[in-house]
Amino acid sequence: MITGEQKPFEEIWNMVKDFKKVLVFGCNTCVAICHAGGGKEAEILASLLRMKASEEGIAIEINHNAVERHCEPEFFQPVMEDIRTYDLILSTACGVGVNLLSENIGDIPVFPAINTEFFGAVPRAGEFTELCAGCGNCILHLTGGICPIARCSKSLLNGPCGGTNNGSCEVSPDIKCAWVLIYDRMKKLNKLDLMKEINEAKDWSKAQGPRNFKVKVLEEIKK
Amino acid sequence: MNKAVESTEEAKAPSIEKPHETPEGWEPNILAFACHYCAFAAADLAGVMRLSYSPNVKIIRLPCTGKLDQIYVLRAFEKGIDGVFVAG
């Protein structure tokens, strides 16, 4: 899932303060799970902004709403007529949602209330960790299911580097050395011989944006 | 720490709100969220014992204080409540 964290309140206030009618628009999927931008967080943010406006003596109408997803037009189309009555949409969705809504809404600005971070796993409630970088060219079958692109600080294909330190990374003792994890995992799988093979330079062209693809079967049906 | 660093850190520090002057005879509006099973029962018992409390306190009974949501507190402040008291 996509993770993100709410921007500092002052930054959000500076985006909002010059508008007259603002909608804080939440997304109830990924960013709701990380408590950054769901309907609940949108409501809380709207309340805080109303109080700030009243404190500063500025008249702004601030409301909130939320839909299940901002990354598919079907979800926000039903409320489009309503949201077009606002001067500003302060979206608490991820950057994907902000982009897509901006493209669809016409001449109303859509501003981000959160900083979109990575797509991550949820090992424990309230904890998010990056395990895959979406590089477009997966090598997990060669590395025991542990991604060196996302989990090694240097994204080394043939590690570890000299900075590995008793299983930790030199960047931080809290980061486990991905290549130590890979070694341990390959040992368990009895596949250590695979580690002797050199992984060749990666085709990074598949990791460069803008990326898009179409489902072939659906394309055939459309024909 | 040299003075230049000190003054930058001072500038970065959040500004402290100045205390407002309290008009004479002003009473704060207090909202109490009380758990049905303990604090609300205690308030009930106080009533049975004919103990009185200030009329500027209003009590809202919750099935459990775990039911308290941030938005309840924010809505209270937005509507002019001066202090929220949670008991459970």
Side-chain angles (χ1 to χ4, degrees):
Chain A
M1 51 166 274
I2 312 286
T3 63
E5 284 180 284
Q6 201 169 89
K7 283 178 175 289
F9 185 75
E10 281 303 317
E11 189 182 341
I12 298 176
W13 172 246
N14 286 330
M15 288 180 194
V16 164
K17 66 182 179 191
D18 297 327
F19 291 87
K20 291 283 165 236
K21 197 176 174 195
V22 177
L23 177 72
V24 185
F25 196 31
C27 177
N28 276 326
T29 309
C30 312
V31 290
I33 297 169
C34 51
H35 299 274
K40 187 177 168 175
E41 289 73 31
E43 190 179 0
I44 291 170
L45 183 57
S47 173
L48 292 172
L49 287 169
R50 277 194 297 271
M51 279 194 268
K52 178 74 175 170
S54 138
E55 203 179 78
E56 300 283 329
I58 300 172
I60 316 178
E61 184 185 335
I62 302 168
N63 296 318
H64 70 275
N65 195 354
V67 292
E68 290 314 295
R69 285 184 207 170
H70 285 211
C71 54
E72 292 185 53
E74 288 88 335
F75 290 88
F76 57 71
Q77 288 299 358
V79 293
M80 209 49 148
E81 203 176 316
D82 176 52
I83 65 177
R84 283 207 174 106
T85 63
Y86 287 87
D87 297 336
L88 169 71
I89 309 301
L90 180 66
S91 170
T92 62
C94 69
V96 178
V98 175
N99 273 268
L100 194 64
L101 190 60
S102 285
E103 271 179 29
N104 283 270
I105 202 168
D107 55 2
I108 300 162
V110 183
F111 288 173
I114 74 166
N115 289 323
T116 309
E117 285 169 15
F118 53 88
F119 51 91
V122 192
R124 274 168 293 278
E127 206 178 303
F128 303 90
T129 180
E130 186 174 20
L131 300 180
C132 168
C135 70
N137 195 357
C138 194
I139 54 157
L140 284 168
H141 57 298
L142 304 173
T143 58
I146 293 158
C147 178
I149 306 299
R151 298 173 73 178
C152 166
S153 300
K154 293 176 182 168
S155 296
L156 290 180
L157 284 166
N158 298 284
C161 70
T164 184
N165 184 14
N166 294 322
S168 289
C169 174
E170 64 181 334
V171 170
S172 161
D174 298 331
I175 302 172
K176 285 183 179 160
C177 171
W179 277 99
V180 170
L181 292 175
I182 292 169
Y183 176 85
D184 291 345
R185 180 76 182 142
M186 296 300 255
K187 199 173 176 184
K188 230 179 234 177
L189 296 172
N190 208 18
K191 294 277 183 199
L192 273 179
D193 52 314
L194 265 181
M195 290 198 74
K196 287 179 188 158
E197 287 180 25
I198 303 292
N199 289 316
E200 287 179 12
K202 199 174 169 65
D203 175 7
W204 285 102
S205 67
K206 290 180 177 176
Q208 298 294 313
R211 295 182 278 182
N212 52 57
F213 71 90
K214 288 177 178 166
V215 176
K216 283 183 187 128
V217 179
L218 292 180
E219 287 301 297
E220 288 300 316
I221 294 169
K222 278 182 197 165
K223 279 178 194 168
Chain B
M1 189 187 290
N2 65 42
K3 275 199 173 168
V5 173
E6 212 170 302
S7 62
T8 341
E9 282 189 0
E10 265 174 28
K12 276 183 196 167
S15 58
I16 298 164
E17 201 182 340
K18 282 180 193 157
H20 292 264
E21 275 188 31
T22 315
E24 212 172 305
W26 179 82
E27 290 282 345
N29 266 321
I30 306 290
L31 188 65
F33 288 103
C35 163
H36 169 78
Y37 293 97
C38 52
F40 191 82
D44 226 11
L45 181 67
V48 170
M49 291 166 72
R50 301 293 184 262
L51 297 173
S52 63
Y53 62 90
S54 191
N56 54 316
V57 178
K58 275 93 185 167
I59 301 183
I60 293 180
R61 179 169 60 107
L62 293 177
C64 167
T65 39
K67 178 68 188 79
L68 187 79
D69 199 291
Q70 296 102 308
I71 199 69
Y72 297 176
V73 178
L74 292 172
R75 273 184 209 150
F77 287 134
E78 266 197 76
K79 287 180 194 292
I81 292 291
D82 300 301
V84 172
F85 171 66
V86 181

